[in-house]
Every structure is written in structure tokens, then in C-alpha cells.
């Protein structure tokens, strides 16, 4: 578990640390005003969303370790191509390949999902999110520190050594075991069904069947929650620095960077404690998380001092931590009896889709109404999600299971 999370952290440095420097990279490639920065920022995400479900299914068929190695080597190749690209077109092709050939997060989760289950799996997924948060915090700092000696553009080629190193480490790990499939149950009908109704074991089978139907619905609910969560949190990222400069003129880049990192630092500090507190009640944690996200994002629209910005960023961090941890618990529950590669590939698809739509909505809102618009849009989505999770129909239970329970 720790080895896979460490490899993901190492491989994520370039993927998460270099995109913020696109405005410095593109002028070297002929785009003097970096007008393509916004589009190229989401190119890897778009193609990662498209490729994740396919790679997940291939991992279930041909081996999760093999596909995890493929993801790390694919990242290394795309970083090398990006670092040596000499035109916007070549650089764009490298970013497309990064999205298609990468997908290390979904591949890592699929590998872990085949080796772990229950609380162990949810703890591993929590650790994986911690690796992502740590890379998001520290990678831009390292890239910025290296910039006086090597341009961010050439750092793509230099940092390709990191996924190559991760691939060597993963090669030493064992193949994760196959998932245990649920036993098939033959449906009973007619008189046989009436006889089975009086028999306790058969009733237990029908209970299990109802639970299985309920879990299918909860998987769809998980996809919806994943999309809404990523959308409502990521939408505040692209124009946060502009919002800080608008509210507190003269804020230094260091302070702005710390404010950006606060929610992720909150996750690193409290994620395991939240897992211990909410692993038996993840739906409550998700609802509280969306409520904190809504309040935190709304506070961004009202904050006009450093102290209030720190407070709302920490509140957003509480929501981010609750949401990520409890969604990991729900994902581990859905993984029982399912092929993990396909499951986590699908989850990654909805996560990336949320990020893409958030980026587009942030760009549109900022161009029309300024940097406050994205955080208010995220607030609205979070509020709607809180209200939806409070309705019995979206308590991740199917109407059929509710009718069965009522009839008893």
C-alpha cells in the first residue's frame, strides 16, 4: 500500500507541478501571450477521462500490475516528448499522450482494489489521495525552485526520470490477487418462489439479491457524488490567485501559494483521523463535507481580509477532507465483488469529467462576472448536492429495495 502510494506521489510531480507554469512554457513555443494555456491545462484531463475506463477493463483482463507499469512508462514517454517539443503542436500531442497513456491514479487504485477490501481498501484509497495532495502542494514549489537553472519546459524531460523510477519499484511488487466474484443465484419463479418464501435460506438469498440490487444503485450514486464533489472543489482552483489579488491587493506570491495549499494541507493533517471517525457512516461524512464546501466557497465571495480568507480556506479544507475520505470508503464498499480495474477506471472517468466541466465553468464565469463567479457556482452545486443527499430517493437506495422493505 505504501509502496504504491509512494510511486504515485513520485510520478505525479510533473503532472501536477508543471501545468501551473504553462504561461511561462508556451511563449518558448511561439505562443507569446500564452493564449492556449487554458485549453492545454485540461487536455491531459480530458483524454485521461476517455481512456481510464478502457485501461481499467484491460487491467482486469491482463493483470493490474502490468497495466500499472504501462501507466508509469506512458507518463515517462509523454514527459520526454513534452520536454523536447519545439512547437505548440508537438507539445499538444505530448499532453494528449500524457492523458491517454497515463492514468496512474486509476491504475494504482485498481491494483490496490484487487489486493485489499473493506476498511483496508478505504484506508489505502485515503492514503492515495494524500499522495495526490502532497504532490499538489510540493511539486509547484520544487518546479519553481528549479526554474532559475532550468526552464519549466525542459523540466518535463528531467522529471520523466520520476515515473521511470516508479516503474522500477512497481516491477518488484507482486501481482495483486484477483477479485472474489459474487456467487450467482438462480431466480426462482412460480410455485417454487412461493415454497422458497417459506424457507429461511431462500429468504436469505432474496435478501442478498435485494442488497445486490441496492448496491448497483449506490454505484450510480457514487458516480454522481464523485462528479459533483470534483466539480465543486476544482472550480475554485484556476482563478483563486486572481481573487486573492482582487480582495487583498499587494499579497505576495508566497502568501497566495500558502492560501492555495491550505485545504490540501488540511487533508494531509486530518485524513486518517477522519477515516477512523467516519468509516462506518460515510454518507453522513459526505453530506457534512458538501455542507462545509458550500459554506467555505460562499465565504470566498465575502472575504476581504487575510484572516477571513484563511478561515474560509480551512473550512473548505474540512469539506475536502470529509468528502475525499468518505467517498473512498463508499468506493471500497462498491468494490466488493466487482472487478476493481473497471470500477476505479469508471470512477476516474467521472472525476476527470467533473474537473473538465469545472474548468470550463470557471473560465466562462470569470470572463463574464470576474473571479468571484467560479466560487459562487461551486457553492450552488454543493448546496444542491447537500439537499439531494438528504432525500430518501438519493440515500443510495433503490426504489425496489424500499418497496421490499415496506412490504415486510
Amino acid at each position: 500500500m505504501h509502496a504504491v502510494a509512494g510511486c504515485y506521489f513520485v510520478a505525479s510531480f510533473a503532472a501536477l507541478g508543471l501545468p501551473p507554469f504553462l504561461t511561462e512554457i508556451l511563449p518558448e513555443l511561439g505562443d507569446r501571450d500564452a493564449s492556449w494555456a487554458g485549453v492545454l491545462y485540461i487536455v491531459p484531463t480530458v483524454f485521461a477521462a476517455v481512456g481510464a475506463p478502457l485501461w481499467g477493463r484491460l487491467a482486469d483482463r491482463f493483470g493490474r500490475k502490468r497495466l500499472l507499469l504501462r501507466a508509469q512508462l506512458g507518463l515517462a514517454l509523454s514527459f520526454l516528448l513534452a520536454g523536447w517539443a519545439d512547437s505548440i503542436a508537438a507539445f499538444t500531442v505530448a499532453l494528449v499522450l500524457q492523458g491517454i497513456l497515463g492514468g496512474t491514479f486509476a491504475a494504482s487504485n485498481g491494483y490496490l482494489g484487487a489486493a485489499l477490501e473493506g476498511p483496508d481498501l478505504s484506508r489505502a484509497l485515503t492514503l492515495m489521495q494524500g499522495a495526490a495532495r502532497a504532490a499538489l502542494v510540493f511539486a509547484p514549489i520544487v518546479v519553481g525552485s528549479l526554474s532559475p537553472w532550468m526552464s519549466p519546459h525542459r523540466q518535463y524531460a528531467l522529471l520523466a526520470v520520476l515515473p521511470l523510477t516508479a516503474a522500477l519499484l512497481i516491477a518488484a511488487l507482486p501481482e495483486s490477487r484477483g477479485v472474489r466474484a459474487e456467487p450467482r443465484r438462480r431466480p426462482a419463479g412460480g410455485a417454487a418462489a412461493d415454497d422458497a418464501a417459506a424457507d429461511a435460506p431462500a429468504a436469505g438469498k432474496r435478501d442478498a439479491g435485494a442488497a445486490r440490487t441496492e448496491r448497483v444503485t449506490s454505484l450510480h450514486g457514487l458516480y454522481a457524488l464523485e462528479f459533483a464533489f470534483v466539480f465543486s472543489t476544482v472550480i475554485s482552483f484556476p482563478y483563486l490567485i486572481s481573487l486573492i489579488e482582487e480582495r487583498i491587493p499587494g499579497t505576495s506570491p508566497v502568501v497566495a501559494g500558502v492560501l492555495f495549499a491550505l485545504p490540501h494541507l488540511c487533508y494531509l493533517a486530518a485524513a486518517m483521523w477522519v477515516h477512523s471517525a467516519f468509516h462506518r457512516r460515510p454518507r453522513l461524512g459526505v453530506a457534512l463535507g458538501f455542507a462545509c464546501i458550500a459554506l467555505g466557497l460562499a465565504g470566498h465571495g465575502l472575504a476581504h481580509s487575510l484572516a477571513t480568507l484563511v478561515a474560509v480556506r480551512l473550512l473548505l479544507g474540512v469539506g475536502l477532507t470529509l468528502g475525499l475520505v468518505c467517498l473512498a470508503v463508499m468506493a471500497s464498499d462498491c468494490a466488493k465483488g466487482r472487478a476493481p480495474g473497471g470500477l476505479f477506471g469508471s470512477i476516474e472517468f467521472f472525476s476527470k469529467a467533473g474537473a473538465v466541466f469545472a474548468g470550463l465553468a470557471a473560465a466562462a464565469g470569470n470572463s463574464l462576472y470576474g473571479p468571484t463567479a467560479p466560487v459562487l457556482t461551486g457553492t450552488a452545486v454543493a448546496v444542491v448536492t447537500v439537499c439531494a443527499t438528504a432525500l430518501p430517493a438519493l440515500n443510495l437506495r433503490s426504489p425496489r429495495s424500499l418497496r421490499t422493505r415496506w412490504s415486510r
Side-chain angles (χ1 to χ4, degrees), residues 15 53 65 77 169 174 238 269 300 309 348 380:
K65 176 182 173 180
L77 174 63
L169 295 174
H300 283 66
L309 275 174
E348 186 72 356

Side-chain angles (χ1 to χ4, degrees), residues 223-400:
Y223 292 156
L225 289 173
E226 184 75 24
F227 179 92
F229 178 81
V230 173
F231 182 94
S232 58
T233 52
V234 170
I235 196 171
S236 67
F237 293 172
Y239 299 99
L240 177 66
I241 303 301
S242 300
L243 179 65
I244 293 172
E245 292 175 350
E246 178 185 277
R247 299 300 171 81
I248 313 175
T251 302
S252 69
V254 175
V255 173
V258 171
L259 287 172
F260 181 89
L262 273 180
H264 310 295
L265 293 173
C266 184
Y267 181 92
L268 293 175
M272 287 303 174
W273 178 86
V274 170
H275 182 274
S276 299
F278 286 93
H279 75 278
R280 295 186 183 277
R281 42 184 185 273
R283 294 167 188 163
L284 173 62
V286 166
L288 291 175
F290 273 104
C292 290
I293 289 169
L295 292 173
L297 290 176
H300 283 66
L302 302 174
H304 287 83
S305 68
L306 181 60
T308 53
L309 275 174
V310 169
V312 297
R313 294 297 290 168
L314 288 175
L315 183 57
L316 180 63
V318 172
L320 183 80
T321 305
L322 283 166
L324 286 173
V325 171
C326 293
L327 285 172
V329 174
M330 295 169 69
S332 69
D333 180 64
C334 288
K336 295 176 182 176
R338 289 192 173 94
L343 171 66
F344 288 107
S346 298
I347 292 174
E348 186 72 356
F349 170 81
F350 285 96
S351 175
K352 298 298 186 186
V356 170
F357 279 93
L360 296 175
N366 180 76
S367 64
L368 292 174
Y369 304 107
T372 305
V375 296
L376 295 181
T377 304
T379 301
V381 171
V383 169
V384 170
T385 308
V386 170
C387 295
T389 53
L391 296 175
L394 289 183
N395 194 26
L396 304 183
R397 302 181 187 276
S398 68
R400 178 179 174 182

